[in-house]
Amino acid sequence: MPVHLEGTSASRIPSLRDFDLEGRRLLIREDLNVPIKDGVIGSDARIRAALPGLRHALEAGGRVLAMSHLGRPKPGRFDPALSMAPVAVRLGELLDRSVRLIDAGVEDWPRTCADIEAGQIALLENLRFLPGEVENDDALSSAMAGLCDIYVMDAFGSAHRAHASTCGVARFAPCACAGPLLEAELEALGRALAKPDRPLVAVVGGAKVSTKLGVLESLAEKVDGLIPGGGIANTFIAAAGFDVGASLMEPDLVDRALRIRRAMIESGKDIPLPVDVVVSTSVDGSAPVEVRALDAIAPDEMILDIGPQTARAYGALIEGAGTVVWNGPLGVFERTAFAAGTCEIAKAIARSSAFSIAGGGDTLAAASAFEVVDDLSYLSTGGGAFLEFLEGRTLPGVSALEARLP
Ligand code: ADP
Ligand code: MG
């Protein structure tokens, strides 16, 4: 039975810091899944997030073999567009040492990896080129384990996947432990959700309720206040009986939204709806943009942001919180005309003295666009893994480490 993960477990998992690494063969699973186009890396944020663990391992005299997946190649086949070669180059620049790319077949791994010396690092080619990686195949997992004295899981962003490199290998490796990034993520998420300073307020925005139903239902039970935002709020607004015009809305989920809202209200929790919204007949800002009361939306208008009064009210709720968990923008923040609501909320979270944690691809883009990155307590590197944690699900990459505990 995998142990249910709620913060406390993080401290029980062995840490890379606990081991004497001198001369030891370390196999470190990182999440180096960077955006890449025509061999050029877009953002290298994920490579940078891996640096503390790798630096520690190298400085402590470890013989380091790093590994990651990149994109979604067809398993079992090499795809030059998704080679780790550019990642090896960038990693080498950031570490200021050469990073050899190991593209040998699995049977040649032991020979090819044997000459990695203490303080040196090599990188395996894209793990998803290997048949058996996503299937969590035992033979592949054990071949990986054969390359190391210590397996280090530091890929929080891939911890929600039960793959050979994130899960299976931990079973066969002589030793298995967590790297510093995984530890930091589990600690921050645990602090926000397991023993939060109250009130705990969650902001869940973004596009669709259907992609975050589990998150909404799980958070609704844990938090003192839940602020639905963006397209997600539209379904809650419709559930409360308002006409949302041409807004993005999921009619099939109106009942679920209503149930979540009623349950929260019955237990005396906050689940506010906007009092004013920003609407337009066009998403691209080419049509007039108006602020309307919730009961005055025309049939051809879309709700594309929260209004200023709502932003102030939500801001006050956030500033009174002890802990804030934020996922998902409150409007179509990519367009200036509909960015103000998300910007105001991001700034309120940044201003608040609450312990704040944010995660999600678009949420991080918003945090960076509105320059609050340095003012949040923690930014999660995991999109899918962050959401699954919020849902209260067990992360296989973490439970595989827990399963090794005596
Ligand atoms: P994250 O990646 O942070 O988890 P999502 O992917 O769920 O966030 O949602 C982000 C998207 O939601 C953005 O592209 C944004 O434009 C869109 N969005 C936000 N509010 C609305 C809205 N009112 N109507 C339509 N789309 C919206
Ligand atoms: Mg997204």
Side-chain angles (χ1 to χ4, degrees):
M1 249 311 266
V3 182
H4 196 265
L5 208 189
E6 280 289 40
T8 48
S9 48
S11 53
R12 296 184 1 239
I13 298 170
S15 162
L16 180 61
R17 280 183 280 255
D18 300 337
F19 293 88
D20 175 10
L21 305 180
E22 182 68 47
R24 310 296 292 278
R25 294 176 306 152
L26 308 176
L27 178 65
I28 311 187
R29 176 58 156 104
E30 298 288 3
D31 176 9
L32 306 175
N33 181 28
V34 289
I36 209 158
K37 203 165 178 260
D38 302 325
V40 179
I41 294 170
S43 160
D44 64 1
R46 283 184 169 151
I47 304 180
R48 289 176 183 275
L51 294 176
L54 295 174
R55 284 205 181 108
H56 172 80
L58 290 166
E59 280 158 20
R63 300 161 62 192
V64 178
L65 180 58
M67 60 176 178
S68 173
H69 75 284
L70 181 63
R72 292 171 180 266
K74 280 217 178 79
R77 201 169 338 136
F78 177 77
D79 173 357
L82 289 175
S83 165
M84 296 296 284
V87 177
V89 171
R90 186 75 191 115
L91 186 57
E93 288 165 2
L94 292 167
L95 287 171
D96 202 19
R97 65 185 84 203
S98 84
V99 176
R100 177 158 60 102
L101 181 70
I102 303 216
D103 56 5
V106 175
E107 55 295 338
D108 282 329
W109 277 353
R111 192 178 50 78
T112 326
C113 297
D115 59 356
I116 303 170
E117 285 171 20
Q120 284 188 348
I121 172 170
L123 176 66
L124 283 182
E125 184 51 288
N126 191 345
L127 296 169
R128 291 208 187 152
F129 292 164
L130 302 169
E133 162 63 3
V134 299
E135 291 82 9
N136 197 14
D137 176 68
D138 278 356
L140 180 62
S141 302
S142 120
M144 288 173 182
L147 297 174
C148 70
D149 302 311
I150 304 171
Y151 163 72
V152 185
M153 172 60 178
D154 207 22
F156 177 73
S158 307
H160 59 314
R161 307 279 185 216
H163 293 173
S165 66
T166 56
C167 189
V169 58
R171 246 181 347 116
F172 297 99
C175 272
C177 67
L181 176 62
L182 182 64
E183 281 177 332
E185 294 273 358
L186 296 178
E187 195 183 302
L189 280 158
R191 180 165 168 198
L193 292 174
K195 285 191 196 121
D197 282 339
R198 304 253 171 201
L200 165 58
V201 173
V203 180
V204 182
K208 290 174 148 189
V209 173
S210 50
T211 61
K212 295 180 183 176
L213 196 60
V215 173
L216 291 162
E217 287 179 338
S218 165
L219 284 178
E221 289 181 3
K222 295 191 181 104
V223 300
D224 305 297
L226 174 63
I227 301 176
I232 285 177
N234 297 344
T235 301
F236 282 84
I237 294 169
F242 294 97
D243 192 340
V244 297
S247 303
L248 170 64
M249 194 268 279
E250 291 165 286
D252 295 352
L253 292 172
V254 165
D255 283 352
R256 295 287 281 274
L258 195 59
R259 243 180 289 157
I260 293 173
R261 187 143 189 275
R262 279 203 182 129
M264 284 192 71
I265 291 169
E266 273 162 25
S267 3
K269 297 172 170 182
D270 264 327
I271 174 157
L273 291 181
V275 285
D276 58 347
V277 287
V278 178
V279 302
S280 181
T281 54
S282 149
V283 188
D284 62 15
S286 62
V289 174
E290 314 275 358
V291 176
R292 294 227 193 285
L294 212 51
D295 58 2
I297 297 154
D300 61 342
E301 287 175 340
M302 292 174 275
I303 303 173
L304 298 168
D305 195 8
I306 50 173
Q309 237 185 296
T310 304
R312 272 196 297 278
Y314 289 0
L317 198 59
I318 286 163
E319 286 185 58
T323 307
V324 179
V325 175
W326 176 31
N327 167 258
L330 289 101
V332 181
F333 75 101
E334 299 93 336
R335 300 275 171 189
T336 318
F338 313 114
T342 304
C343 180
E344 283 301 310
I345 297 311
K347 295 220 159 113
I349 300 173
R351 255 195 323 269
S352 146
S353 56
F355 177 76
S356 55
I357 177 162
D362 292 287
T363 310
L364 295 199
S368 132
F370 303 130
E371 298 177 344
V372 298
V373 168
D374 294 336
D375 302 310
L376 303 174
S377 311
Y378 194 79
L379 281 166
S380 177
T381 58
F386 177 75
L387 290 173
E388 290 204 14
F389 194 107
L390 295 189
E391 262 186 84
R393 285 167 58 165
T394 299
L395 304 180
V398 177
S399 45
L401 299 178
E402 288 171 336
R404 293 290 308 262
L405 292 169

